[in-house]
Amino acid sequence: MTTATTRPAASRRTAPTFTLTPELRTAITLTALTLLGLLTGLTGQHLLDSPAIMWGGYGLAYLAGGIPAGREALRSLFRERKLDVDLLMVLAALGAASIGQMADGAILLFLFSLSNTLQDWAMGRTRNAIQALMNLNPEGATVRRGGVEKWCELGEIRIGDLLVIRPGERIAADARITQGQTSVDESPITGESVPVDKEPGAALASGTVNLNGSVEAEVVRPAGESTLARLVGLMEQAQTQKSRTESVTERWESPYALTVLLCVPLVYLLLRSGFNLPTDQAWYRAMTFMVVASPCAVVISTPAVMLSAMAAAARGGVLFKSSAALDALAGVQTVAFDKTGTLTQAKMTLTRVVAGDEGAALALAAGLEGHSEHPIAQAIVRAAQERGVAPEHVQGAQAIPGHGIEARLPDGTAVWAGNERLAMRQGAALDGAQRSALAALAGQGSSTVIVGRGAQVIGVMGVADALRPGIAGAIAALRASGIAHPVMLTGDKREVAQTVAAEIGLQEFRAELLPEDKLRIIGELSTTSGGGPVAMVGDGVNDAPALARADLGIAVASGTDVAIESADVVLMQNDLGKLAGAVRLARAARRTVITNLAFAFGIILIVAPLAVAGQVPLPLGVIAHEGGTVFVVFMGLRLLRHRL
């Protein structure tokens, strides 16, 4: 009746890796050459007393570090009509060279080249996050057209096609079941921890996984407009949102550069014409002012602190992907948590057995569920093993999609485990106590399993997603660190969310959310928290847009690749208890940055006027300048001692 074509072997999808783009490779090479030139020049000047080596080294540093920055400065100047720090840094380096301080200029160029390389790395991470999300799409699907089954690439699937979806396959497009019953793992899209039973007429979302039944489904949206495609769009939109730190930096960059650039010729003219100094002395003082006013200590004030803090955090199991992420965490007052896989382990656990003989009920349930791959079934089997209960031997086990499982004992007695529909199918009635237990378990957010022998119900069981160990203490520690507003966001049912929130000490939660709902609520939380930064903690694909949209995205390392790629911070040990320590570290880093900047600008404001007045010769200006740099570096290194 039908002819099937051979389906191509499914390729194994590997975890997304960082791609070293040609632009980033070039930036890394130029930064390395700038450092090499600086070290060579210093060696020739101070150790070997070789002018040739000194000039060759410094020349390499100026070319490798100055040409890219100069090109960028000219692009900003002529295309965007904007003065930026690129131009100031190049001119400061040239000014230092003009009065014989080549080393000072080379140091400036190396630091600035390093910061530009880190920015290029951050841009590559954005592209990786979106690519990781797109990788959830299967390569194609089996499609039935005109009674003929064939394998189609994703782009060939059309509205109205019939998808033939077998157990274990990822659903390729948004569709509606026309034939068959199954359970579907929707956690990649909705965050729902329990597989959802699907019958004819039920909707299937692209990117979700068919578990245990073969179904046919009619495509209702092409791949380009599917649920997964919408998630990609949300990710791209969210990634364009700039943090408050970036906006402030951009706003002050041009005025600072313009002010210094205007001051240098004004200083020269004032000294030359106003005070009648000789040309060489006026130029000497103007260039000394340029060196002193060059933002070497200012530039390194923040990186020295941030890199030290990031290293301390990494040692404690918290990976910050950028210094902007560390700075954002320092101001966070609101933290939104995903539930499944973040606050919980995304692993079903048997929570309660209500039966006259709990051991016998668990033994029978384990014997039945041992023939099923369903997560709830595996939780019951695992609980029996942990409690030392031997599963009862059953024969002829058969899964009933949407109901449960049936089998027979060796003496021919029918036994079963499943939902109320299966109990009705067996002609079994629950007594008052069993119905009360069933209602209580459902009210607590547990999935329920009824176990029976023939027409008799012998037990009711509750299965729920287990909380992460120590999560209540982690939330309490987070409050103690200064986070005033923790809130839970989940795609799970309200009853489940309410139970989890009560157990871990959260007063606020939002339930039954789609990815776009989480994205919207992140924006609302920013407003209700007084406009302060909002952090989002998650682990799943459905969390990716919210992680990217939040001022700070935090992922647990056990989460999906796309969540990890989208996040700004990764908890490498899956320990939310580390988050409170990270908050304290971030706030210590911010205080240190403020101290460093005040000191660095203070030196400029004090020494620069003295340099203009001729009270600070160039060597003393360099000492003050470099002394400020050493001070801010030392202040930053102190954070290496911090423990999370």
Side-chain angles (χ1 to χ4, degrees):
M1 177 176 176
T2 61
T3 330
T5 59
T6 304
R7 169 181 170 173
S11 62
R12 286 183 62 88
R13 297 193 183 276
T14 59
T17 56
F18 180 72
T19 303
L20 192 64
T21 63
E23 294 82 4
L24 181 57
R25 188 180 294 111
T26 299
I28 292 173
T29 301
L30 290 173
T31 300
L33 288 175
T34 306
L35 178 60
L36 176 63
L38 170 62
L39 296 177
T40 302
L42 290 172
T43 300
Q45 181 179 3
H46 298 290
L47 297 180
L48 302 180
D49 194 21
S50 170
I53 294 177
M54 179 189 72
W55 285 105
Y58 289 147
L60 174 62
Y62 272 67
L63 289 174
I67 290 179
R71 188 190 309 119
E72 185 65 24
L74 293 176
R75 185 191 67 79
S76 297
L77 183 61
F78 291 110
R79 291 187 184 180
E80 303 176 13
R81 304 287 189 238
K82 173 184 174 184
L83 291 173
D84 57 19
V85 175
D86 292 80
L87 181 60
L88 183 59
M89 295 296 283
V90 171
L91 292 179
L94 293 175
S98 72
I99 53 176
Q101 295 298 322
M102 292 286 289
D104 221 28
I107 290 172
L108 293 176
L109 291 174
F110 166 67
L111 291 172
F112 204 60
S113 179
L114 179 61
S115 69
N116 287 334
T117 300
L118 293 175
Q119 290 177 15
D120 290 341
W121 173 81
M123 291 293 292
R125 185 171 56 84
T126 298
R127 291 189 293 268
N128 281 3
I130 297 175
Q131 184 60 47
L133 184 59
M134 295 175 66
N135 282 346
L136 280 178
N137 270 322
E139 297 176 351
T142 302
V143 175
R144 177 173 292 154
R145 292 176 183 164
V148 177
E149 290 184 13
K150 67 174 184 177
W151 175 261
C152 290
E153 298 292 333
L154 203 61
E156 300 173 356
I157 299 174
R158 304 190 297 261
I159 295 177
D161 281 343
L162 282 178
L163 301 180
V164 180
I165 310 169
R166 298 180 174 86
E169 291 185 343
R170 193 176 292 276
I171 296 164
D174 288 357
R176 191 171 303 279
I177 293 179
T178 58
Q179 183 177 332
Q181 294 180 328
T182 189
S183 292
V184 174
D185 177 8
E186 294 187 340
S187 59
I189 302 298
T190 67
E192 171 67 55
S193 56
V194 179
V196 180
D197 293 332
K198 299 288 185 178
E199 298 177 344
L204 300 176
S206 59
T208 58
V209 180
N210 182 31
L211 293 179
N212 55 15
S214 293
V215 297
E216 293 185 9
E218 181 181 359
V219 176
V220 296
R221 293 187 191 89
E225 301 174 10
S226 67
T227 301
L228 198 55
R230 293 203 311 273
L231 275 175
V232 173
L234 290 171
M235 269 285 295
E236 291 173 333
Q237 179 182 358
Q239 291 277 20
T240 63
Q241 304 291 326
K242 291 185 178 180
S243 70
R244 188 165 307 180
T245 302
E246 290 174 300
S247 300
V248 171
T249 301
E250 289 184 358
R251 189 160 59 245
W252 284 100
E253 179 179 354
S254 187
Y256 180 83
L258 180 61
T259 299
V260 174
L261 289 176
L262 289 176
C263 284
V264 171
L266 289 176
V267 166
Y268 173 77
L269 291 174
L270 176 66
L271 296 173
R272 182 71 182 88
S273 303
F275 291 88
N276 295 318
L277 287 181
T279 300
D280 58 343
Q281 290 186 29
W283 180 251
Y284 181 89
R285 292 190 189 183
M287 289 301 98
T288 302
F289 169 81
M290 169 75 86
V291 171
V292 171
S294 66
C296 186
V298 175
V299 167
I300 203 172
S301 289
T302 300
V305 173
M306 295 301 180
L307 292 175
S308 296
M310 290 165 66
R315 185 179 60 235
V318 178
L319 174 64
F320 286 91
K321 293 185 177 180
S322 69
S323 57
L326 185 68
D327 183 60
L329 183 59
V332 165
Q333 291 293 322
T334 299
V335 178
F337 292 92
D338 168 57
K339 181 187 75 68
T340 305
T342 303
L343 299 176
T344 69
Q345 301 180 53
K347 183 175 73 173
M348 305 305 291
T349 302
L350 182 66
T351 58
R352 188 179 177 192
V353 178
V354 180
D357 186 340
E358 294 186 8
L362 182 57
L364 178 56
L368 287 161
E369 301 291 14
H371 296 274
S372 172
E373 296 297 325
H374 196 286
I376 292 178
Q378 294 304 302
I380 292 174
V381 172
R382 188 167 53 250
Q385 293 172 344
E386 292 170 354
R387 300 180 189 187
V389 176
E392 192 160 347
H393 179 66
V394 299
Q395 301 172 340
Q398 181 178 3
I400 311 297
H403 291 73
I405 191 167
E406 296 177 339
R408 291 190 177 276
L409 297 175
D411 63 4
T413 303
V415 289
W416 48 273
N419 54 27
E420 286 190 81
R421 291 195 299 271
L422 183 57
M424 293 174 60
R425 173 180 172 137
Q426 297 292 333
L430 283 77
D431 60 28
Q434 291 166 340
R435 287 198 175 279
S436 296
L438 204 65
L441 289 168
Q444 296 169 3
S446 296
S447 298
T448 55
V449 177
I450 304 170
V451 183
R453 182 184 292 108
Q456 179 189 7
V457 174
I458 66 170
V460 173
M461 300 180 180
V463 177
D465 191 4
L467 291 174
R468 283 189 181 273
I471 188 61
I475 297 297
L478 197 62
R479 287 184 184 277
S481 71
I483 300 299
H485 187 205
V487 56
M488 181 174 69
L489 310 180
T490 179
D492 254 338
K493 298 180 178 61
R494 180 176 180 80
E495 295 82 2
V496 177
Q498 188 170 20
T499 300
V500 171
E503 290 181 1
I504 65 177
L506 285 176
Q507 280 73 48
E508 184 177 350
F509 64 89
R510 313 283 181 87
E512 301 179 10
L513 302 176
L514 294 175
E516 48 263 45
D517 296 325
K518 292 183 179 181
L519 192 62
R520 171 180 53 79
I521 291 172
I522 289 296
E524 294 175 356
L525 288 173
S526 181
T527 302
T528 57
S529 63
V534 174
M536 171 71 188
V537 186
D539 77 309
V541 173
N542 60 300
D543 303 319
L547 287 170
R549 173 61 181 88
D551 297 280
L552 188 72
I554 304 172
V556 293
S558 60
T560 60
D561 294 330
V562 63
I564 293 172
E565 289 288 350
S566 304
D568 305 293
V569 183
V570 180
L571 304 178
M572 300 304 295
Q573 299 171 2
N574 304 318
D575 182 3
L576 266 69
K578 297 287 187 179
L579 191 53
V583 171
R584 292 191 296 270
L585 173 61
R587 293 181 176 177
R590 172 171 285 187
R591 290 192 298 270
T592 305
V593 166
I594 293 172
T595 301
N596 280 359
L597 289 175
F599 184 83
F601 279 117
I603 287 182
I604 293 174
L605 292 174
I606 293 172
V607 179
L610 293 176
V612 174
Q615 300 301 309
V616 176
L618 180 60
L620 186 57
V622 171
I623 290 173
H625 182 262
E626 297 302 327
T629 303
V630 171
F631 174 81
V632 299
V633 169
F634 171 75
M635 291 293 288
L637 292 177
R638 290 169 59 247
L639 292 175
L640 287 172
R641 299 179 300 175
H642 191 97
R643 295 292 183 268
L644 299 187

